[in-house]
Amino acid sequence: DYKRWRDTYQRNWSWAFDPIAIAFSIQHSRLSADLTIMPLIVNTQYRSWIDIARGVTIAPDAGDPHDAIAHAVFAINRDAPTLKNAAGMAQMFAPGVEIDPLGWLGQSVAIYADPDPFWGQMLAAGGDNENSFLENNFPRLPVALHAEVGSALKLTAFIAAARGALEQAAPGMAAWETRTHHDQPYVRVGLSDKAKAESRGGAADTAALYYAATPRALILSLNEDV
């Protein structure tokens, strides 16, 4: 009876707008916005988002704050049902990986776009040509994913398992190269020379994934400069 009353009550609020507020801040050359949405009811449209962020906080220094063009930081609860389902799906596609794919994750994930001539060139292409520019130049995209690390040991195990699964699924296709920038090692993952020789030579064949794994964060980008 209570469940039926609760469901009916929530449907009665379907006509209403949730309270929404946005605060803008201008500092020097930067424009920032803080958006808050307070659901009147926890209906299904919000439930997955609430579950992902419930019980965790974004630290003041989370997400590598720096002079990015755009920077978004998300609170992440790795025990949320949505993320657990995603981790389960990932394990299904990699049956040889016995570890939790998200067990290493901390409490936040950030995405940022850095200053780069890429953006001006994309705008200069203009109109419909922007899509063509992106298709031909996406390996230069100056965007990065920054995931906070909760357990460096579990991250190490995850990377080792992911690399092993990739080598097993497509043996000889990928080449792994360790590089260093200011004493910080990072890894380039791209097609092997053999795979490149047999490919059609498109933009996707020249693309590579760069990642740096540290005790505090896992950073991934298609652009080595980033």
Side-chain angles (χ1 to χ4, degrees):
D1 288 343
Y2 171 75
K3 183 179 183 303
R4 183 169 60 251
W5 172 85
R6 183 189 62 191
D7 293 343
T8 303
Y9 175 84
Q10 292 195 117
R11 283 195 297 270
N12 288 340
W13 281 97
S14 61
W15 57 270
F17 280 105
D18 294 316
I20 301 174
I22 184 167
F24 292 100
S25 174
I26 301 176
Q27 300 175 355
H28 304 296
S29 60
R30 176 175 299 173
L31 172 67
S32 61
D34 185 350
L35 175 67
T36 300
I37 302 175
M38 298 292 292
L40 293 171
I41 55 172
V42 185
N43 60 23
T44 53
Q45 294 180 359
Y46 288 110
R47 188 177 302 278
S48 60
W49 291 98
I50 292 173
D51 288 343
I52 289 174
R54 189 192 303 274
V56 296
T57 58
I58 299 174
D61 61 345
D64 184 20
H66 62 285
D67 292 328
I69 293 176
H71 197 161
V73 186
F74 305 90
I76 298 293
N77 178 358
R78 67 173 183 266
D79 294 324
T82 301
L83 294 184
K84 281 190 171 295
N85 290 338
M89 289 291 293
Q91 285 182 312
M92 288 176 60
F93 286 106
V97 179
E98 300 296 335
I99 65 173
D100 180 3
L102 299 179
W104 56 272
L105 192 60
Q107 294 192 348
S108 69
V109 170
I111 300 174
Y112 57 80
D114 277 355
D116 192 273
F118 177 92
W119 304 115
Q121 295 166 6
M122 183 183 71
L123 293 175
D128 296 336
N129 293 328
E130 286 187 10
N131 291 334
S132 177
F133 178 86
L134 284 172
E135 289 177 4
N136 295 324
N137 293 275
F138 77 89
R140 298 171 45 214
L141 193 65
V143 173
L145 174 71
H146 180 285
E148 180 182 325
V149 170
S151 170
L153 181 61
K154 290 182 179 180
L155 173 62
T156 303
F158 165 72
I159 292 176
R163 178 170 179 172
L166 179 60
E167 291 291 350
Q168 184 177 1
M173 289 289 290
W176 305 71
E177 179 186 353
T178 301
R179 301 182 178 183
T180 304
H181 178 70
H182 294 314
D183 297 326
Q184 170 62 53
Y186 64 98
V187 177
R188 179 189 186 276
V189 186
L191 286 180
S192 65
D193 292 338
K194 181 178 182 298
K196 288 180 182 178
E198 298 175 359
S199 68
R200 297 182 178 180
D205 295 334
T206 63
L209 176 66
Y210 300 88
Y211 73 84
T214 77
R216 295 189 61 186
L218 173 65
I219 305 143
L220 303 96
S221 180
L222 295 174
N223 187 311
E224 185 173 11
D225 291 339
V226 175

